[in-house]
Amino acid sequence: MENEVLEFDIGLGSGADDDDDDDAVDIDIDDDLPSTPPHHLTTSHNSASTSATRIYLPEGDLSDLEPYEGMEFESEEAAKAFYNSYARRVGFSTRVSSSRRSRRDGAIIQRQFVCAKEGFRNLNEKRTKDREIKRPRVITRVGCKASLSVKMQDSGKWVVSSFVRGHNHELVPPDQVHCLRSHRQISGPAKTLIDTLQAAGMGPRRIMSALIKEYGGISKVGFTEVDCRNYMRNNRQRSMEGDIQLLLDYLRQMQSENPDFFYALQGDDGQFTGNVLWADPRARANYSYFGDTVTFDTTYRSNRYRLPFAPFTGVNHHGQPVLFGCAFILNETEASFVWLFQTWLTAMSGRHPLSITTDHDAVIRLAIMQVFPETRHRFCKWHIFKKCQEKLSHVLLKHPTFESEFHKCVNLTELIEEFESCWLSLVDRYELRDHEWLQTIYSDRRQWVPVYLRDAFFAEMSITQRSDSMNSYFDGYVNASTNLNHFFKLYERAIESRNEKEVKADYDTMNTNPVLKTPSPMEKQASGLYTRKLFVRFQEELVGTLTFMASKSEDDGESITYQVAKFGEDHKAYHVKFNVLEMKATCSCQMFEFSGLLCRHVLTVFRVTNVLTLPSRYILKRWTRNAKSNVILEERPTDVYTGYLESHTVRYNTLRHEAFKFVEEGSKSLETYNVAMGVLQEATTRVALATKNDGRAGDVNGRNKGDSASSGIRANYTSGNHLGISGQPLSEEDMDKKIQELRDELEYANRKCEVYRANLLSVLKDIEDHKLQLSIKVQSMKISLKGSI
């Protein structure tokens, strides 16, 4: 807000002003004031008014400061200042309503100053009724007639031509006058103190506390915390304008060194009007690997920091924060955030993330709804917890246990019904059901409470614990004292440090073998696929299955539902639905959907159903050591033995599933039992015969391919001749044998193909590992060279 004594209304009318008019005064404070009885006022009736109208007049002898007709001023500004000073003593706010210009030279020759509550809001204006008002403002104008009109004389002086003293509304007591718009101004000494405290890293709330203590009360400060906040923001923007050329020069230099460096300005180079965005080639490449979930971190946008800096970050395959781009936010309107997100999306080749996390901000939410309509938007839970300490400080002082109960309600509830019940119980117990901030975050609960977000991917290892990725990428580098001159060095240092940590994690993954804790083939498989940190997290879940039991609770013919719980804790059971034929499992805890790793409940079901290796659908490439590789190694098993285990598991589970249904039907009566037993005996004989033939096929497949007899058989069959070697027609039994032999040979050929494919993928994997090791060595050499320089 500009610190003017008065707000001007340049409109020519005086009775139909709209508070939302850009040309009209913008006063909405009066209706927000408490309805404290105005003790220094007296009321009477104006004879010119109807008997129902109440007129409020100043109390006491004000002849030394009250305007009167014929009163002279040296200038229009002097008249405004006097009327505003009078209004401050009486208890109302003023504005300029109308003016009259000379027909000769267009100069203003008459002004009318009015009470801020003069006139009425015009809701029928075309520009008001033809557009939707997102945040309607409170009604402040009530048709008050109090005013002062002045005219310019030939002598150049200004004379009061009319003065209306009475008001049709209550006036404001002295201890609240500082809240009125026309009386809120920041004095020179106050500005100096604000500048000093802001430079020390203090926010507006703490600065206002210091000012109140310095001046001896809020009414003596002369302005509100909102004015202080606006002054600090404007002050910061003015200081940034002086340094903005440094930013532009840096970005141009980076792009000249690498054409893939992306940057954009809202406006243009000559007329900078808004925000700045940039992304280096590494950030753009990282997004192509790990851009499924994004965090837009606006921590540095607060008044505590000198730089309105906001990075786009994500999570790499080691669970470390990774950079996707950066922005300087100098304009915080919805349109500017829309421009920012659209421009960033362009830099990222137009690929939308699955999810995005931001601070709890209404303007950012509106922008994201426009730019990322299909992306799951989450508010940062930890920012809300931090805000809780500020908004509910009085509750925390009175009830020390409230904070821990609040965290448990949010983090530890596993069902939506459980959270709703816990929340209502909490706010009722501490009498907070009507608390405005709690009502706000409760209405937004689907965007920050974990129980509502488990079905979306956020690349976090735990729903209840804070992930490393939620910590700012630049923590430890950018702080409250950082200015633009030092920013770029710290920015580059932070990026270099993060890259070194990723190289170190790559090295540890490639050159160290994890300690296996079970004989499970699945654990060995995972150790060769996942990065070290992700494997350790998976190993925790796998070992955790040893304390769980799974029991079948439902079978619909396609899927089996298992109840999974620790021994003796059936009341805390999870439900896993498993489709054997598709090798697809879903758990009620939804850990895989949220983090991309299978939970111990699904792994328990895999254990009891003899699934020995991880199905490929549950191995996300973004968590593997080959996350940045273009070779898809996990699409099919890379080991012949692993492939055998998976196919054997599918056959085993399919047969067992069908056998269970057969047993249930066959045991219903004596008749069905006898039929079932007869069928089983016949099936036993046929399976034994197939097993015997399978053994013979192994002998046939092992013989020399030049064998004349087998060659003759293949030649005769493939040519369409149904005769044997001696020229006699083949019997039906011989035909079946020949068909079986051909099937066996085809299966043998398929096995050889699998071996060749596995060998080829193994070679490709070795090449990728070698490339990665070379990359690590190059990065290490660069780091050592920088250190020696």
Side-chain angles (χ1 to χ4, degrees), residues 85-187:
S85 177
Y86 164 76
R88 183 180 181 87
R89 290 184 174 89
V90 172
F92 66 97
S93 184
T94 66
R95 60 183 171 86
V96 178
S97 174
S98 63
S99 62
R100 182 180 175 189
R101 295 180 180 274
S102 170
R103 294 182 179 178
R104 285 182 305 177
D105 55 10
I108 295 176
I109 58 175
Q110 184 175 345
R111 280 285 198 194
Q112 183 183 35
F113 311 112
V114 298
C115 172
K117 291 181 177 289
E118 180 266 350
F120 296 94
R121 178 179 298 179
N122 186 356
L123 299 178
N124 294 320
E125 277 197 14
K126 187 177 188 308
R127 61 176 162 181
T128 303
K129 67 181 181 180
D130 289 350
R131 63 184 174 88
E132 180 183 356
I133 299 176
K134 295 179 180 178
R135 290 181 292 276
R137 304 175 62 187
V138 295
I139 300 295
T140 59
R141 302 192 181 186
V142 295
C144 182
K145 300 297 184 182
S147 64
L148 176 74
S149 296
V150 292
K151 290 183 179 179
M152 188 175 71
Q153 303 299 305
D154 293 339
S155 62
K157 292 187 177 182
W158 291 73
V159 178
V160 176
S161 58
S162 69
F163 170 58
V164 179
R165 187 185 184 207
H167 298 260
N168 68 345
H169 55 87
E170 292 186 351
L171 302 180
V172 176
D175 62 342
Q176 296 175 6
V177 171
H178 68 281
C179 295
L180 297 174
R181 187 66 170 269
S182 68
H183 307 310
R184 288 156 54 185
Q185 55 182 331
I186 304 177
S187 64

Side-chain angles (χ1 to χ4, degrees), residues 446-461:
R446 288 176 176 81
Q447 287 185 267
W448 68 276
V449 176
V451 73
Y452 292 98
L453 297 165
R454 287 176 173 161
D455 60 335
F457 181 74
F458 287 96
E460 291 182 21
M461 295 301 98

Side-chain angles (χ1 to χ4, degrees), residues 688-706:
L689 178 61
T691 304
K692 186 176 180 181
N693 289 336
D694 191 42
R696 287 180 182 174
D699 294 337
V700 171
N701 290 329
R703 290 202 300 266
N704 191 316
K705 294 297 182 292

Side-chain angles (χ1 to χ4, degrees), residues 633 636-641 643 751-766:
L633 300 179
R636 293 177 67 181
T638 60
D639 180 79
V640 175
Y641 178 65
R751 289 177 182 174
K752 287 185 67 175
C753 287
E754 284 295 323
V755 172
Y756 293 148
R757 180 182 179 279
N759 291 337
L760 177 59
L761 288 176
S762 178
V763 171
L764 291 174
K765 183 176 182 296
D766 289 341

Side-chain angles (χ1 to χ4, degrees), residues 269-288:
D269 289 7
Q271 184 63 39
F272 177 70
T273 60
N275 300 328
V276 187
L277 173 75
W278 73 92
D280 61 32
R282 187 182 183 94
R284 301 175 75 182
N286 281 334
Y287 185 78
S288 68

Side-chain angles (χ1 to χ4, degrees), residues 714-727:
R714 286 195 298 274
N716 284 318
Y717 190 81
T718 55
S719 64
N721 186 6
H722 291 191
L723 299 177
I725 298 174
S726 61

Side-chain angles (χ1 to χ4, degrees), residues 65-78:
L65 58 89
E66 188 172 81
Y68 56 88
E69 291 187 14
M71 191 174 188
E72 291 188 349
F73 298 96
E74 292 296 325
S75 65
E76 177 194 352
E77 292 299 324

